[in-house]
Amino acid sequence: MPVFNQSRSYIIRIIFVITFAVIIGQLFNLQIVSSKYQKLAQENAVLKKVIYPSRGVIYDNKNRPISNNTLMYDLMVTPSEIKGVDTASLCNLLEIDTAEFRSRMLNAVVKNGRYRPTAFEALLPPEKYARLEENLWRFGSGFFLQERPVRQYPYNAGAHLAGYIGEADSGIIARSNGFYQAGDYVGRSGLESYYERVLMGQRGIQYWIKDNKNRVVGRFQKGAFDSAAVAGRNLHTYINIELQQLAEKLMAHKMGAIVAIDPKTGGIVSMVSGPDYNPNSLTGSEKQKNYSKLVLDVAGPLLNRAIKGQYPAGSTYKPLEALIGLDEGVITPASGIDCRGAYYGCSRPVKCTEHWVGHAANLRLAIANSCNSFFSNAYRLIVDNPSYGNVKVGYEKWKDYMNGFGYGGRLGVDLPSEDKGNIPDTSVYNKVYKGSWNSCTNVTLGIGQDMMLATPLQIANAICIVANKGYYYVPHFVKSIDGETAEDTILNKFRKRHDVLGHIPDNYYQTVIDGMQDVVEVGTARIAKIPGIDMCAKTGTAENFRVIDHKRTQLKDNSLFVCFAPKEDPKIVIAVVVENAGFGATWAAPIGSLMVEKYLNDTLRTERLKEVDRIASSDLMPDWIGREQFKADSTRAFKWYHITNDSSYIKKYLHKSLQTPAKRDTTLPRQRIVLLQKNDAMEPKKFLPPKMKTTAA
């Protein structure tokens, strides 16, 4: 028995020793090694407040701010500190219900955890901010107001080029490897996006002490651990905001784009895409609501057609073809063609708008009168050049020239999401025509059509090359950045001269330039002539197709115009595309002419102001917009009905006699509705059972 007791006593002592060792080890870990509870204690006692920096200002070429900052406030919440809050009173101040309150609190916890401040309501409207500032003390330290610099656009212009900013989402945060945090705002498009790292600045941090009742009582360690916010750096651009405003006014109620470039530098002085929107609609408390409206607009106001619209270049391409033909030696300045209204060199005639004898007797006349016959024939001479022995080899040589002019590839403008247009290679034609094709197959490339597609920016840049007689700078907006250093390399590529077609002799360029001057003096763009300014130009009219109701439908032609001025010392190049507007001289040329006069003279003649008003008040939006909007809206409405049984959104698409039924028809075949969604054309009668009758809008 004593032996047994001695063994048990020994075991108990070992257990106690081990237990005390574990306790002491854990105490040592918690107090000396681990900082977890220290951090938790500090988070309970110290409020960490992020100070957001002011974004850099964007200035135009006369140092006028086209985007700057104003202060708004976010209502922040720290979920762990919400205790005994008068929810009803707070909801009344914020004009929300308790269900919305709970939803926002849950989102705050999911998004940023219980112990970190999260925006409960961002960018408070002035009246709501005033109510909260007066009453926020009633809801404890769990809620506080935080300053937020917000973009504003004093001239209400330049939406597509300036872009907009928005809160960093989870994808942006993940891609930044933690550089961005929840609550940060980032550039989402335009210059705001491209120059984000320059404009954004650096966050600051302030630490505040809280007492045992969670009240802020002072700065932690007298601000020793605080870091000041550093404002973003300013951008100085080539943009002329007055020219930009004029261009936007001229493109009101129209679809298309305008690009204006200084050919000597590549600096973009104006870029407009129509339809556009007020940039101030995507800032402030209403931005999400406004963004939703813009996204659902089938006219695409958020789409920057200047860099993403892809159009047949039409006759604006003809000066480029003239240079190619001259350089290849297949035409000369004296070359001409006897055109009586069409080119009959292929089995399919290519029609020409001019019929009078001698309108294409030489190259200058052919350019001035935009003779389709001359340039269809010139294209065939280029690709069928006997020195290449094969049309496919000749075509690739032609394509190399086009790539040199900037067609068929991204130019590298300082905006995100630029498209590259289309100059197909031989493999495309081999696939489409099973390897059997010749110069007649794609002869309309000679007049800027067939598969040729170019953005308005590419069209303008190609004319810069003509104006400069063989070189260009990558088109860009920003001239300089405040405080530039050797590490600032973002602008380097825009300062490099590209002599891509310098092998073409100056006298060939001069011949083409003289022909472009004749376009304004005696040719197709006489309407664009400006007293005292020698302008060189080219009109364009291009066929326009769109798939409507699953059918490829030909619409009214696109109106195009390119020009540069003055002739001897070009300071401005302009490209204009107006969709569904007919001949180039009808709409695009007058717009381009007004732009040139405003830029070079810094004003418009009094009699020209009436022309501005005439163009600005003309609605050229295509007819298909209304129908496509109806289809898109009705599709969404009936999908929502299928998901929720909420019929309020579909009433506007039904006959009036069906909008106020005695009670809802529960026999409505919802499965049939879903099937019909796939058909894309959402006529109301297609959604209803046979017994219900309605009329389409």
Side-chain angles (χ1 to χ4, degrees), residues 11-142:
I11 292 171
I12 291 172
R13 283 197 297 269
I14 291 175
I15 292 172
F16 271 102
V17 169
I18 293 173
T19 302
F20 278 112
V22 171
I23 293 172
I24 292 170
Q26 183 64 4
L27 287 172
F28 179 82
N29 176 59
L30 292 175
Q31 297 185 31
I32 306 299
V33 178
S34 175
S35 59
K36 175 182 177 182
Y37 289 95
Q38 181 183 2
K39 288 180 180 178
L40 289 174
Q42 186 164 310
E43 285 180 352
N44 286 329
V46 178
L47 172 66
K48 179 182 177 182
K49 187 176 182 181
V50 177
I51 307 300
Y52 292 102
S54 295
R55 286 180 75 84
V57 177
I58 302 176
Y59 293 97
D60 84 338
N61 63 349
K62 295 184 178 179
N63 221 33
R64 294 170 290 199
I66 59 178
S67 71
N68 54 22
N69 303 293
T70 187
L71 274 181
M72 294 187 74
Y73 289 84
D74 294 344
L75 176 62
M76 308 296 292
V77 63
T78 307
S80 64
E81 298 178 9
I82 303 303
K83 298 175 183 177
V85 171
D86 186 350
T87 304
S89 296
L90 183 59
C91 289
N92 184 53
L93 287 173
L94 293 173
E95 300 174 351
I96 61 175
D97 56 28
T98 53
E100 177 66 15
F101 178 90
R102 289 192 293 271
S103 175
R104 292 187 185 185
M105 289 298 298
L106 179 61
N107 287 337
V109 172
V110 171
K111 184 177 180 180
N112 218 15
R114 295 183 55 82
Y115 300 98
R116 294 179 180 175
T118 304
F120 189 78
E121 183 165 334
L123 305 177
L124 297 165
E127 64 279 359
K128 193 175 289 188
Y129 164 71
R131 291 198 302 267
L132 285 168
E133 186 182 37
E134 185 177 344
N135 294 279
L136 200 60
W137 61 271
R138 296 162 47 194
F139 307 107
S141 63

Side-chain angles (χ1 to χ4, degrees), residues 514-548:
D514 289 341
M516 292 179 71
Q517 183 182 20
D518 291 345
V519 171
V520 178
E521 299 294 333
V522 297
T524 58
R526 294 186 297 276
I527 193 173
K529 189 173 181 179
I530 305 170
I533 296 176
D534 289 332
M535 184 178 4
C536 301
K538 186 71 194 74
T539 55
T541 306
E543 290 185 334
N544 179 23
F545 294 89
R546 181 181 178 85
V547 176
I548 299 176

Side-chain angles (χ1 to χ4, degrees), residues 631-647 649-650 653 670 673-680 682 687:
K631 288 162 57 179
D633 291 345
S634 60
T635 297
R636 285 188 294 269
F638 280 95
K639 282 184 177 179
W640 180 252
Y641 168 80
H642 172 70
I643 295 169
T644 66
N645 276 344
D646 180 358
S647 63
Y649 293 101
I650 67 173
Y653 305 107
R670 294 172 67 219
I673 290 174
V674 176
L675 180 63
L676 288 166
Q677 304 297 330
K678 300 177 182 178
N679 291 334
D680 194 58
M682 296 294 110
F687 292 101

Side-chain angles (χ1 to χ4, degrees), residues 555-573:
L555 305 173
K556 194 172 182 179
D557 292 342
N558 292 336
S559 175
L560 297 94
F561 180 73
V562 294
C563 66
F564 64 86
K567 175 186 177 183
E568 299 303 329
D569 183 23
K571 293 182 172 62
I572 185 72
V573 167

Side-chain angles (χ1 to χ4, degrees), residues 370-642:
S370 196
C371 180
N372 285 347
S373 296
F374 181 95
F375 289 98
S376 296
N377 186 63
Y379 169 76
R380 294 191 65 206
L381 292 174
I382 292 167
V383 299
D384 287 336
N385 190 337
S387 64
Y388 298 120
N390 185 298
V391 66
K392 297 178 181 179
V393 178
Y395 177 86
E396 285 297 332
K397 181 66 175 178
W398 173 85
K399 181 178 180 294
D400 289 342
Y401 276 102
M402 294 305 296
N403 294 154
F405 278 115
Y407 280 40
R410 295 178 182 88
L411 295 173
V413 65
D414 49 352
L415 293 177
S417 303
E418 177 192 5
D419 279 354
K420 64 180 182 178
N422 185 48
I423 300 294
D425 58 25
T426 54
S427 65
V428 175
Y429 285 106
N430 288 338
K431 181 177 180 180
V432 173
Y433 296 102
K434 299 180 180 179
S436 178
W437 58 276
N438 56 39
S439 60
C440 280
T441 306
N442 52 23
V443 66
T444 53
L445 284 173
I447 58 173
Q449 300 203 154
D450 195 67
M451 295 187 190
M452 179 191 297
L453 294 173
T455 67
L457 180 67
Q458 290 172 332
I459 295 172
N461 184 70
I463 300 303
C464 286
I465 296 173
V466 176
N468 291 333
K469 297 182 179 177
Y471 72 87
Y472 77 99
Y473 290 87
V474 174
H476 59 288
F477 291 95
V478 176
K479 182 187 302 183
S480 63
I481 301 170
D482 277 358
E484 275 191 72
T485 66
E487 286 72 34
D488 290 315
T489 60
I490 194 169
L491 295 180
N492 287 355
K493 74 172 186 175
F494 303 121
R495 293 165 177 166
K496 179 183 177 182
R497 172 169 157 163
H498 298 269
D499 294 284
V500 288
L501 293 166
H503 58 83
I504 300 178
D506 282 0
N507 62 306
Y508 290 167
Y509 279 105
Q510 194 60 52
T511 298
V512 171
I513 289 170
D514 289 341
M516 292 179 71
Q517 183 182 20
D518 291 345
V519 171
V520 178
E521 299 294 333
V522 297
T524 58
R526 294 186 297 276
I527 193 173
K529 189 173 181 179
I530 305 170
I533 296 176
D534 289 332
M535 184 178 4
C536 301
K538 186 71 194 74
T539 55
T541 306
E543 290 185 334
N544 179 23
F545 294 89
R546 181 181 178 85
V547 176
I548 299 176
D549 293 340
H550 310 291
K551 296 179 181 178
R552 187 172 184 263
T553 305
Q554 183 166 8
L555 305 173
K556 194 172 182 179
D557 292 342
N558 292 336
S559 175
L560 297 94
F561 180 73
V562 294
C563 66
F564 64 86
K567 175 186 177 183
E568 299 303 329
D569 183 23
K571 293 182 172 62
I572 185 72
V573 167
I574 292 179
V576 182
V577 179
V578 186
E579 296 183 34
N580 301 274
F583 290 111
T586 305
W587 291 104
I591 290 172
S593 177
L594 289 165
M595 294 278 289
V596 169
E597 182 174 345
K598 172 63 177 175
Y599 184 75
L600 294 182
N601 295 342
D602 203 29
T603 187
L604 291 172
R605 289 166 287 150
T606 303
E607 62 268 25
R608 297 276 272 171
L609 298 178
K610 293 181 180 179
E611 178 72 350
V612 172
D613 292 337
R614 180 188 73 84
I615 295 173
S617 62
S618 300
D619 189 344
L620 302 180
M621 293 296 286
D623 295 337
W624 58 264
I625 292 290
R627 176 174 172 76
E628 293 297 308
Q629 190 68 62
F630 176 85
K631 288 162 57 179
D633 291 345
S634 60
T635 297
R636 285 188 294 269
F638 280 95
K639 282 184 177 179
W640 180 252
Y641 168 80
H642 172 70

